[in-house]
Amino acid sequence: MRRMPKATKQRLLREGVKLLGREEVARQLRVPLTRLNAWLRGRGSMPDRKIASLADRVLEKLSE
């Protein structure tokens, strides 16, 4: 399977935070806010399995 580009992950994270809020995104991904903030700043790489979970939640919110 092809890996998702880091820029795409960051964009989805930013959009998720706009729609759901920082605390909800961290809760959904089961990570501390400090880790989420690091990913948003481009520090470290978010695992693809985490981004898939967030993508599902963002799509669900957009369809409401």
Side-chain angles (χ1 to χ4, degrees):
M1 181 188 335
R2 209 174 120 168
R3 294 192 51 97
M4 184 180 293
K6 188 175 179 179
T8 303
K9 291 178 186 180
Q10 285 178 297
R11 182 173 176 214
L12 183 56
L13 273 174
R14 285 191 306 271
E15 293 303 317
V17 166
K18 283 182 196 174
L19 285 171
L20 307 168
R22 210 171 276 258
E23 291 80 15
E24 176 61 21
V25 170
R27 188 190 67 72
Q28 179 77 26
L29 296 176
R30 297 182 180 152
V31 297
L33 279 172
T34 53
R35 175 150 311 149
L36 175 65
N37 290 333
W39 289 340
L40 285 164
R41 288 190 307 270
R43 296 185 179 169
S45 182
M46 182 177 176
D48 287 344
R49 68 183 185 281
K50 297 271 187 190
I51 203 72
S53 170
L54 179 60
D56 286 343
R57 183 66 181 102
V58 166
L59 289 172
E60 181 182 299
K61 182 70 173 177
L62 288 172
S63 69
E64 292 177 352

